[in-house]
Amino acid sequence: MMPRYSIFSLLRNALSYHEDWPEAWRSPEPKPSYEVVIVGGGGHGLATAYYLAKEHGITDVAVIERGWLGGGNTGRNTTIVRSNYLWDESAALYEFALKIWEGLSQELNYNVMFSQRGVLNLAHNQHDLRELSRRINANRLNDVDSEFLTPAQVKRMVPLIDLRAGGRYPVLGATLQRRGGTGRHDALAWGYARGADARGVDIIQECAVDGFRIQNGRVAGVETAKGFIGADKVAIAVAGHSSVMASLAGFRLPVTSVPLQALVSEPVKPAIDTVIMSNAVHAYISQSDRGEFVIGAGADKYVGYGQRGSLPVSEETLTAVCELFPCLRRMRMMRQWGGIVDICPDASPIIGKTPVDGLYINCGWGTGGFKSTPGSGWVYAHTIAKDEPHELNAPFSLDRFRTGYLINEQGAAAVAH
Ligand code: FAD
Ligand code: PYC
């Protein structure tokens, strides 16, 4: 991206104590009604607003967020971006999103810090090896880059790893998606927010939606902390709280909401320059630009809405990380947190229409919806604007739980749940 500011401007701003900095987006009071109201100011809601305005010229849009932008899972995730999913439908959707990521900083004129440092998925037993080779073949058939690494090649790429992994999890190989990597999570939300606001979208924070007004089977607007807001169309994008929203609108979703947690260590000098994931041991690790190791765990076993996650899960994860990386044993963990993820029985998302006319749902991304944010926003905007799905999200309708055309991505979801 071409720098917009000179070194003098940077220095002046660095010393100005943020005075006179222009707001990145406005904070308007809500209008009485809009063409489209989006519930949820995470990455998916904001990207949807951006593409509604940019691709479809629909700018009479409000994004209603009960807290602050990106304060949900968007700002709580471990920032991994990849597209190595098993089935054709998923590969097409996640690869579409990855391609948008590749030009997103330029598109938004906002540095989303997309770093294609590669993503490794480790194999620890014969079953893993067979599963990963199946995934490589499936990915290649879908033009998704994917290759196999021998243990020696893994060691060359990740010198700190102990291939014996304490004897419990010997590393027998890995898949590598070189175009995968990490992106800066809150920058993604902020970039889309700024772009949507510049096109006329109203972003309203600290305003919870606590009901829907439905007349003759069609949505008429939302009840909020700031009163009723009318809308021709309402689009839900609230991640872990999707089933709460659905029950307010009078229908049920096949999702389970559980906490998923992550931790970061104290910062150290650069030591791991890729992303390492292991399904079998429920752990994954990368290093942030600040030097912290970003470590993620499997999902909690019980339904819950506390944004913490339970201690046994983090203990199990850290044990596994120390077996794979014995040199990290004495690192201190600085922070731990959780987010609530809503998981469908087939570990694939739902993006489409609901039983209520004019009401749309985007949910069920579970443990893996950060990477898909640009693609999800793009196809969700299409679905809302045209009142019918784009071919990329047509297979991900709510209806698939009636027809039985499930898209089982339990293996590719990368996190055990
Ligand atoms: P959110 O960012 O949660 O946004 C939903 C918003 O809706 C929230 O801001 C919330 O406050 C708001 N809201 C809720 N109820 C209401 C209401 N009643 N009224 C108004 N607003 C409301 N995915 C990956 O691809 N890669 C990863 O590495 C990865 N790691 C993860 C690690 C953890 C610990 C967690 C928790 C998730 C991880 N994910 C990952 C999943 C990913 O974070 C999510 O799928 C994605 O961020 C969901 O985005 P969203 O915009 O749908 O949801
Ligand atoms: O989907 O790649 C992923 C992921 C990594 C950690 C959590 N989700």
Side-chain angles (χ1 to χ4, degrees), residues 15-303:
L15 299 173
S16 71
Y17 299 99
H18 298 196
E19 273 172 28
D20 305 324
W21 278 24
E23 283 180 344
W25 52 84
R26 298 160 298 124
S27 295
E29 283 303 306
K31 296 193 295 189
S33 69
Y34 290 89
E35 188 173 344
V36 180
V37 161
I38 295 171
V39 187
H44 288 246
L46 293 163
T48 305
Y50 175 82
Y51 291 117
L52 272 173
K54 176 168 180 257
E55 300 294 329
H56 305 281
I58 300 176
T59 56
D60 186 23
V61 176
V63 178
I64 315 278
E65 164 57 46
R66 72 172 178 183
W68 65 95
L69 299 190
N73 289 348
T74 296
R76 293 167 183 272
N77 70 74
T78 43
T79 77
I80 298 169
V81 177
R82 58 189 173 85
S83 62
N84 54 354
Y85 281 70
L86 183 63
W87 298 106
D88 298 354
E89 296 87 345
S90 327
L93 182 59
Y94 289 98
E95 178 62 17
F96 177 67
L98 181 50
K99 290 211 169 85
I100 301 181
W101 269 106
E102 286 173 329
L104 197 57
S105 291
Q106 285 84 353
E107 152 100 28
L108 297 174
N109 187 28
Y110 200 93
N111 190 355
V112 294
M113 297 169 72
F114 183 41
S115 160
Q116 292 181 290
R117 58 184 67 185
V119 175
L120 274 78
N121 283 81
L122 302 179
H124 302 282
N125 52 46
Q126 289 303 321
H127 170 80
D128 282 355
L129 281 174
R130 276 196 284 271
E131 170 58 29
L132 292 189
S133 77
R134 179 183 181 212
R135 184 141 33 126
I136 290 175
N137 290 329
N139 287 165
R140 287 187 178 171
L141 284 170
N142 279 314
D143 282 337
V144 172
D145 66 303
S146 186
E147 57 195 271
F148 182 76
L149 298 188
T150 63
Q153 288 169 316
V154 173
K155 184 74 182 167
R156 259 201 302 284
M157 224 174 141
V158 190
L160 289 192
I161 203 165
D162 181 349
L163 295 175
R164 294 162 306 166
R168 278 209 297 166
Y169 309 117
V171 177
L172 303 183
T175 59
L176 169 63
Q177 182 176 24
R178 288 188 193 272
R179 289 166 57 245
T182 56
R184 171 75 192 258
H185 47 15
D186 37 21
L188 184 71
W190 299 336
Y192 275 124
R194 194 178 71 157
D197 173 87
R199 287 174 163 79
V201 171
D202 282 357
I203 295 173
I204 294 147
Q205 300 182 69
E206 296 185 357
C207 178
V209 168
D210 45 34
F212 296 92
R213 193 173 290 180
I214 295 165
Q215 289 164 348
N216 302 324
R218 185 171 179 93
V219 76
V222 289
E223 307 289 352
T224 80
K226 297 192 179 211
F228 175 73
I229 303 174
D232 299 337
K233 296 177 177 178
V234 175
I236 302 170
V238 298
H241 295 81
S242 311
S243 50
V244 178
M245 283 289 111
S247 72
L248 289 174
F251 64 95
R252 293 185 68 202
L253 288 173
V255 298
T256 308
S257 296
V258 290
L260 179 73
Q261 61 176 298
L263 314 90
V264 288
S265 73
E266 59 190 321
V268 289
K269 67 180 182 182
I272 297 182
D273 64 0
T274 184
V275 179
I276 300 124
M277 314 187 66
S278 169
N279 253 3
V281 304
H282 304 181
Y284 48 96
I285 182 167
S286 64
Q287 192 170 15
S288 77
D289 304 297
R290 284 189 296 221
E292 302 156 349
F293 289 113
V294 181
I295 295 170
D300 272 22
K301 306 282 177 290
Y302 304 102
V303 170

